[in-house]
Amino acid sequence: MEDPWHRAKEALGRWAAQQIQDVRILGIGSGSTVSAFIQALARYRQEVPMPLTITAASHASEEQARQLGLDVVPLESLEHVDLAVDGADAVDAHGALIKGGGAALVRERLVIAAARHTMILVDSSKVMNAFKRVRLPIAIIPFGWRQTLSRLNGLGVGTASLRRKGEGPVVTDDGLYIADLAIGNIAVPDMLHHELKRIDGVVDTGLFLDYPTAIWVSDGLTVWRHNE
Ligand code: 5RP
């Protein structure tokens, strides 16, 4: 089935590709919005050649960028990243993000943490006042995953389930599993993030809160800034 938001993702991808003229080292996240951005970037670079080194937060993004002729290196080979471009699953009024719908949250955080600036691209369906009735992805260690799920459920904030694909669990590029925590209301995202990180077996959560981030939104017709 066609993604009803693909026009917005393409608009964001095209728009973002034109914003990076002065960027030399670019971090890219993952997902369909980032994929539209990579496509647009490769096309734009044919028109306006520029020296650009890319580091990618997932094997899929890395593969796509390489196939389109972009120069991709591992994050650890770089001193810094000028700009990270990524998507998100939800954005609240304060600019907090939920990420991890594509299971790449651990690497996405590391790319964003290494970047001087971050540009987040979301279609307008993902913008909400506060995080209500959301699924929060949590990266967990495979060993003892059942017990980690019980601990997550024991917190009493929502219902955790193991993300599956076909017969087996979804496995991230780092060999982790993903637990999705269905939550009615995230009252204080920062508190929840730290509470979850303290649970044995949890590696990271999809709550991205304190990065210098410009969030850009599109409905397919125009692109606008969500936060200042
Ligand atoms: C992957 C992510 C993605 O950025 C997020 O899931 C958005 O994906 P899409 O652009 O396909 O809607 O966090 O871990």
Side-chain angles (χ1 to χ4, degrees), residues 9 30-34 86-89 99-105 108 126:
K9 293 175 182 185
S30 70
S32 52
T33 314
V34 167
D86 205 344
D89 301 302
K99 290 188 47 57
L105 61 130
E108 287 169 339
K126 295 172 173 176

Side-chain angles (χ1 to χ4, degrees), residues 1 56 60 62 91 124-125 132 172 190 207 216 220 224:
M1 202 182 75
E62 179 176 344
V91 170
S124 51
S125 70
K132 289 188 192 304
T172 75
D190 184 62
L207 283 165
W216 294 90
W224 67 91

